Amino acid sequence: MIRKAQEEFGKLSTIPCTSRHYCTEGRPKKIPVPEIFQAMNMQIADYLRGCAGTLEH
């Protein structure tokens, strides 16, 4: 199941997240998953913008 999820997420350019914190409610570690996904998505977007810039030159 994890491998399948990894494969599906690998097809996306960003990680989908509603930022509603459904995945963090009631969890003892209180890991800020939506904020982590947002940061990762920002890095992915920056990387993709950088790649697009190199194609233009």
Side-chain angles (χ1 to χ4, degrees), residues 42 44-54 56:
M42 289 172 60
I44 291 168
D46 287 345
Y47 173 78
L48 293 174
R49 275 193 294 276
C51 288
T54 59
E56 295 172 4

Side-chain angles (χ1 to χ4, degrees), residues 21 23-36:
H21 288 268
C23 58
T24 61
E25 293 175 5
R27 302 288 187 230
K29 299 288 184 184
K30 304 208 184 317
I31 297 170
V33 174
E35 288 80 3
I36 293 169

Side-chain angles (χ1 to χ4, degrees), residues 1-54:
M1 180 183 277
I2 292 173
R3 174 70 61 198
K4 179 67 175 166
Q6 289 173 326
E7 290 172 4
E8 292 302 314
F9 279 127
K11 295 176 186 176
L12 302 173
S13 58
T14 59
I15 303 168
C17 180
T18 63
S19 297
R20 299 288 191 142
H21 288 268
Y22 297 122
C23 58
T24 61
E25 293 175 5
R27 302 288 187 230
K29 299 288 184 184
K30 304 208 184 317
I31 297 170
V33 174
E35 288 80 3
I36 293 169
F37 283 0
Q38 181 183 24
M40 292 176 68
N41 285 338
M42 289 172 60
Q43 287 187 328
I44 291 168
D46 287 345
Y47 173 78
L48 293 174
R49 275 193 294 276
C51 288
T54 59

